[in-house]
Amino acid sequence: MELKIDLPVSRTGGFEAGRKMTTTFEIDKALALTGGDHGLVRDLVGAFREEYPLMVAQLATGLQDEDIERVRTSARSIRGAADTVGATDIHTTATQIEAEAEADNLSSAVGLLERLRVELAHFDAVTEDHFGDKKK
Amino acid sequence: MRILVVEDDPVSLKLATTILEQEGFETLSATSGKNAVSILEQNETVDIVVSDISMPVMDGFHLLSYLKADPRFEHIPVILCTAMNDEASVRKALTLGAIDYIVKPIQAATLLSKVKKVVELVSGAILIVDDEVLLRNLLGNMIRREGLKVIAAASAEEALAIMDKEKIALVLSDISMPGMNGLQLLAVSKEKFPSIPVVLITGHTGQFSRDSVLSAGGDGYISKPFKNAEIMVTVRQFIGRRQNPAHVKTKQSS
């Protein structure tokens, strides 16, 4: 089962104005990893939503400082966590950022960071809708 | 059985520790190899380490090398987790001394299966000593269902012969038996195999009190009739803890 939600632009911080964005939360994938434990998926999603702002901040700082290692490690953390909670789009984007950092191509990574932020905002909305939780 | 999970990704860390705790394992968490070393240096008893490879500061390979080079920690089995499902990483992990590896993302079923396999490898068998075949079978089946190895003996004499040959993690023995009784078995066992914990089981609470068992050097005491859960709590308390005498001497309250 894939959960998708259309999100008004206002929830994306104005990124790509005028366009509705979608993101994906593959709950079946997360359920498969946890052995079908819906409560645990909910907890993991909560942990991800709590932790990703710091990871993204570290990623942004790494890009600002042109610190390739920091970009690479923070992107890898986001990738790993996103994979565990079935956040496929976020996982894909974080993987691309990690690859761009490894290729010393930080300008591309900057563009991907914006996409990542939008996908994270969508993930919040989708999971909030599914679990009925407001982000703390 | 205590497992140290080393993982810098908080979501994977939460997944692994939750899954392990749901199965009755005790967990410790570390967010880097350096953090893991610090926990071990504080004399925490750890039976298994499950560690990510890619971590800042001190990665999983370095942590593994560190543990295998230190006589205090070299016996601890290490399972490495990697997102790099390439032959070179796996070969490197096994060459450095990892007992097994897991390809990420961590799946509950895979993690549990690998950990239980290691538990079976590192823990000796549970030796059940009882002259009553029905009770031997009842206890044996209960413990085998938890995935643990069981050896049964019909007498204390047979048990001691088995202890000479087999790796035993815990002795669960009846007290009242023909020939040597459980207390006599306890005395000989503590002399010949002091590191093996012995828990005595009896229905004759008047004849053999809990205090008499504990003062004779017994590590625990269970009264009949016992509940299945009571037996398993006791078994879990002792298996895999033989390296640390402080745990072996833990007394079982009943």
Side-chain angles (χ1 to χ4, degrees), chain A residues 62-63 65-68 71 100-101 103-111:
Chain A
L63 286 168
D65 298 345
E66 298 181 24
D67 182 343
I68 289 175
V71 172
E100 296 293 0
D104 196 12
N105 193 0
L106 292 187
S107 60
S108 299
V110 170

Side-chain angles (χ1 to χ4, degrees), chain A residues 32-35 37 40 43-44 47-48 51 55 73 76-77 79-81 83-85, chain B residues 8-12 14-15 18-19 22 52 54-56 83 104-109:
Chain A
L33 293 181
T34 59
D37 187 337
L40 180 53
D43 288 349
L44 294 175
F48 178 63
E51 297 288 342
M55 297 177 187
T73 53
R76 196 194 58 232
S77 296
R79 166 170 66 78
D83 205 16
T84 303
V85 295
Chain B
D8 63 324
D9 160 21
V11 179
S12 297
K14 188 175 180 64
L15 171 64
T18 305
I19 292 294
Q22 282 174 349
D52 189 21
S54 300
M55 292 179 293
K104 291 176 79 177
I106 292 171
Q107 294 189 36

Side-chain angles (χ1 to χ4, degrees), chain B:
Chain B
M1 180 68 64
R2 187 186 268 180
I3 302 176
L4 173 60
V5 182
V6 193
E7 172 64 77
D8 63 324
D9 160 21
V11 179
S12 297
L13 182 64
K14 188 175 180 64
L15 171 64
T17 53
T18 305
I19 292 294
L20 291 169
E21 283 166 9
Q22 282 174 349
E23 280 294 307
F25 294 105
E26 192 181 342
T27 66
L28 292 169
S29 299
T31 53
S32 70
K34 197 175 172 188
N35 188 200
V37 167
S38 167
I39 287 170
L40 288 161
E41 294 283 359
Q42 287 165 14
N43 296 320
E44 292 283 0
T45 299
V46 170
D47 301 299
I48 300 174
V49 171
V50 177
S51 175
D52 189 21
I53 289 179
S54 300
M55 292 179 293
V57 188
M58 183 186 203
D59 69 18
F61 289 135
H62 283 101
L63 172 63
L64 176 61
S65 302
Y66 180 92
L67 297 182
K68 293 303 164 191
D70 191 321
R72 293 170 300 164
F73 309 128
E74 64 179 350
H75 65 277
I76 302 175
V78 178
I79 299 174
L80 285 185
C81 307
T82 177
M84 304 166 285
N85 189 18
D86 62 286
E87 205 179 317
S89 291
V90 170
R91 197 183 307 122
K92 184 175 178 183
L94 298 176
T95 304
L96 288 173
I99 197 162
D100 209 340
Y101 66 94
I102 293 171
V103 177
K104 291 176 79 177
I106 292 171
Q107 294 189 36
T110 308
L111 174 65
L112 288 176
S113 149
K114 301 256 181 186
V115 165
K116 283 181 177 175
K117 193 174 130 195
V118 172
V119 168
E120 199 175 330
L121 282 172
V122 298
S123 303
I126 313 298
L127 177 58
I128 295 169
V129 193
D130 202 311
D131 57 311
E132 290 181 38
V133 66
L134 284 176
L135 272 173
R136 278 203 309 274
N137 290 342
L138 174 74
L139 283 167
N141 291 336
M142 190 192 307
I143 295 168
R144 279 191 196 96
R145 276 198 296 273
E146 295 289 316
L148 298 166
K149 188 178 171 187
V150 170
I151 299 177
S155 67
E157 291 85 350
E158 187 187 349
L160 289 168
I162 290 168
M163 291 168 83
D164 266 331
K165 296 176 191 164
E166 303 284 343
K167 187 176 175 186
I168 302 298
L170 169 69
V171 176
L172 271 180
S173 175
D174 190 19
I175 290 188
S176 298
M177 294 182 289
M180 281 176 77
N181 66 28
L183 282 171
Q184 290 169 313
L185 168 63
L186 170 64
V188 177
S189 173
K190 286 297 169 189
E191 193 179 320
K192 290 183 74 178
F193 314 101
S195 67
I196 301 177
V198 179
V199 173
L200 296 181
I201 306 171
T202 185
H204 302 275
T205 49
Q207 190 181 355
F208 300 108
S209 68
R210 176 177 175 273
D211 286 347
S212 68
V213 170
L214 298 183
S215 61
D219 296 275
Y221 175 90
I222 294 172
S223 303
K224 291 177 194 169
F226 49 75
K227 292 182 176 170
N228 292 10
E230 190 182 357
I231 295 290
M232 288 320 303
V233 164
T234 303
V235 168
R236 286 196 195 104
Q237 185 182 352
F238 288 104
I239 55 172
R241 291 283 176 88
R242 282 165 301 133
Q243 290 88 353
N244 186 336
H247 287 280
V248 174
K249 286 296 171 194
T250 301
K251 302 299 183 190
Q252 176 75 13
S253 58
S254 59

Side-chain angles (χ1 to χ4, degrees), chain A residues 96-116:
Chain A
Q96 287 172 355
I97 293 173
E98 188 183 3
E100 296 293 0
E102 279 169 1
D104 196 12
N105 193 0
L106 292 187
S107 60
S108 299
V110 170
L112 289 167
L113 173 61
E114 290 309 305
R115 190 167 94 196
L116 185 69

